[in-house]
């Protein structure tokens, strides 16, 4: 006989995932597009009975959540700023359904680049610019003591930025013991697929001031800047290790923007090993002679870190 165990619902979220949406901006003859994948999740104690008592009385249908994404995208003026559109969606659910305590919205923007036709950017034709995406994630929650207040957790990111440089990277003076076979490298190909995330310092605000408060932060400029810093330091740094280069990237962006609280990177090594051609008539292709490489996907090194603003430097 199975013993009875006392349990409770510890936490929950539910909603709609993978809502695909293309917004075409036709305010001028030069069209712009935002190709988005959206996730909207709701939480709150009123949803407990849907799990524990099979009651749907408080449940907003996930189909309605999907429809809300399309309706707000039609009327919104901020779809091209992911952070503001995510905040608009999250705040809508809190304002519309008084029993919703938290709204968690994630938006992924897929890259489209304008076609060059006859030497000029075309007004309304685009090509998919790789797998890199821009992303944002916001969690807006009712304040604990004041229903009109909102607490905001907000972070944005770059995902899948594939970069490579053919020199300017070394890896030497690491631990050598009975398990070590990797030779030291004075110069090597360095490649990684960048995932970078930056967290914003956003104060609690009244519900009516969520968008106006967030509107003071230049989100699109910050995104462009973090991406530019990542590429600039990657290209220019005489890298002694991925760790050292990562730290410079993160520190630079925090120092550039007062709104950033933390910057995190995940940098998996994309290995390119010089092929030993000495077996073929003594052909030299190692160390300074290397120019033919074999890409090796797995296993790969993975370097991660979070760099935070010091207490003395906060807003």
């Amino acid at each position: 006989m199975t013993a009875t165990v006392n349990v409770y619902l510890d936490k929950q979220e539910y909603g709609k995932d993978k809502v695909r949406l293309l917004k075409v901006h036709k305010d001028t003859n030069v069209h712009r597009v935002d190709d988005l994948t959206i996730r909207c999740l709701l939480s709150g104690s009123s949803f407990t009975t849907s799990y524990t008592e099979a009651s749907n009385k408080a449940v907003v249908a996930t189909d309605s959540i999907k429809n809300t994404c399309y309706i707000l995208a039609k009327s919104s003026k901020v779809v091209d700023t992911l952070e503001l559109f995510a905040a608009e969606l999250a705040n809508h659910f809190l304002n519309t359904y008084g029993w919703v305590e938290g709204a968690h919205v994630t938006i992924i923007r897929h890259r489209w680049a304008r076609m060059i036709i006859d030497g000029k950017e075309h007004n309304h034709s685009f090509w998919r610019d790789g797998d890199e995406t821009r992303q944002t994630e916001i969690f807006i929650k009712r304040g604990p003591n004041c229903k009109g207040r909102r607490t905001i957790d907000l972070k944005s990111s770059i995902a899948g930025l594939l970069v490579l440089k053919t020199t300017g990277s070394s890896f030497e003076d690491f631990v050598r013991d009975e398990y070590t076979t990797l030779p030291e490298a004075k110069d090597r190909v360095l490649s990684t697929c960048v995932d970078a995330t930056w967290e914003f310092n956003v104060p609690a605000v009244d519900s009516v001031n969520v968008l106006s408060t967030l509107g003071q932060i230049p989100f699109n400029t910050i995104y462009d800047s973090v991406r530019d810093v990542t590429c600039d330091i990657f290209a220019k740094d005489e890298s002694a290790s991925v760790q050292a280069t990562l730290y410079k990237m993160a520190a630079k962006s925090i120092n550039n923007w007062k709104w950033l609280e933390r910057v995190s990177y995940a940098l998996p090594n994309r290995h390119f090993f010089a092929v030993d051609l000495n077996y073929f008539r003594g052909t030299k292709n190692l160390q300074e002679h290397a120019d033919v490489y074999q890409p090796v996907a797995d296993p790969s090194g993975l370097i991660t870190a979070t760099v935070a603003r010091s207490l003395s430097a906060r807003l």
Side-chain angles (χ1 to χ4, degrees):
M1 182 175 180
T2 303
T4 300
V5 178
N6 290 325
V7 298
Y8 67 98
L9 184 67
D10 188 21
K11 57 184 178 180
Q12 61 77 214
E13 283 186 319
Y14 87 98
K16 205 69 164 182
D17 194 13
K18 298 180 181 177
V19 178
R20 296 288 288 117
L21 183 158
L22 179 71
K23 172 76 171 186
V24 181
H25 303 271
K26 300 179 179 180
D27 44 318
T28 71
N29 289 333
V30 181
H31 294 176
R32 296 174 293 114
V33 295
D34 286 300
D35 183 359
L36 308 179
T37 300
I38 303 172
R39 171 191 289 175
C40 295
L41 302 177
L42 308 181
S43 58
S45 58
S46 294
F47 297 120
T48 298
T49 55
S50 68
Y51 294 86
T52 61
E53 300 176 22
S55 171
N56 295 326
K57 296 296 185 183
V59 174
V60 181
T62 66
D63 190 66
S64 302
I65 295 173
K66 175 205 70 178
N67 292 340
T68 301
C69 295
Y70 295 127
I71 293 168
L72 289 188
K74 179 66 176 179
S75 61
S76 177
K77 305 299 183 184
V78 294
V79 176
D80 58 351
T81 303
L82 297 192
E83 294 83 356
L84 295 182
F85 186 48
E88 190 173 44
L89 282 167
N91 210 39
H92 167 87
F93 291 115
L94 292 171
N95 290 339
T96 304
Y97 307 105
W99 59 93
V100 173
E101 296 173 13
H104 188 180
V105 177
T106 303
I107 303 180
I108 301 170
R109 185 178 190 269
H110 307 278
R111 289 175 67 90
W112 289 98
R114 199 172 295 279
M115 286 186 181
I116 305 298
I117 305 297
D118 297 328
K120 298 185 298 184
E121 290 188 342
H122 199 268
N123 286 356
H124 55 259
S125 298
F126 305 84
W127 59 278
R128 172 52 61 83
D129 189 10
D131 295 327
E132 177 193 346
T133 58
R134 174 180 174 178
Q135 304 184 15
T136 197
E137 181 179 351
I138 192 168
F139 182 54
I140 302 183
K141 189 175 180 180
R142 297 186 193 276
N145 300 317
C146 179
K147 295 296 183 181
R149 298 288 282 177
R150 302 284 190 264
T151 61
I152 302 173
D153 293 325
L154 175 60
K155 58 186 177 181
S156 295
S157 59
I158 299 165
L161 172 59
L162 186 59
V163 294
L164 178 149
K165 67 178 183 178
T166 56
T167 190
S169 173
S170 62
F171 188 55
E172 302 177 285
D173 197 30
F174 52 88
V175 172
R176 305 201 69 86
D177 57 21
E178 65 269 30
Y179 304 105
T180 306
T181 59
L182 183 71
E184 295 192 348
K186 294 184 180 296
D187 190 45
R188 61 175 180 169
V189 172
L190 178 61
S191 180
T192 186
C193 191
V194 177
D195 287 345
T197 301
W198 49 101
E199 301 175 34
F200 293 93
N201 181 3
V202 182
V205 296
D206 291 330
S207 60
V208 296
N209 294 325
V210 169
L211 289 181
S212 61
T213 299
L214 292 176
Q216 299 174 31
I217 303 174
F219 292 110
N220 291 339
T221 303
I222 290 173
Y223 167 80
D224 289 338
S225 172
V226 174
R227 191 177 188 276
D228 288 346
V229 163
T230 299
C231 293
D232 184 77
I233 291 178
F234 177 84
K236 295 178 180 177
D237 186 41
E238 290 294 327
S239 177
S241 67
V242 176
Q243 288 90 331
T245 300
L246 180 160
Y247 184 82
K248 294 175 184 177
M249 293 173 177
K252 178 69 172 177
S253 288
I254 287 180
N255 286 324
N256 281 350
W257 299 102
K258 64 181 180 180
W259 294 278
L260 302 190
E261 190 74 8
R262 296 177 182 82
V263 176
S264 303
Y265 279 89
L267 303 178
N269 273 328
R270 294 295 184 95
H271 296 296
F272 290 81
F273 294 126
V275 179
D276 187 355
L277 299 178
N278 189 54
Y279 303 100
F280 305 97
R281 301 179 182 178
T283 302
K284 295 181 179 180
N285 192 59
L286 298 178
Q287 298 177 343
E288 69 272 16
H289 303 289
D291 61 5
V292 175
Y293 299 85
Q294 179 187 13
V296 178
D298 300 310
S300 64
L302 176 61
I303 293 83
T304 69
T306 297
V307 178
R309 186 179 299 278
S310 64
L311 291 174
S312 60
R314 290 179 179 171
L315 290 172

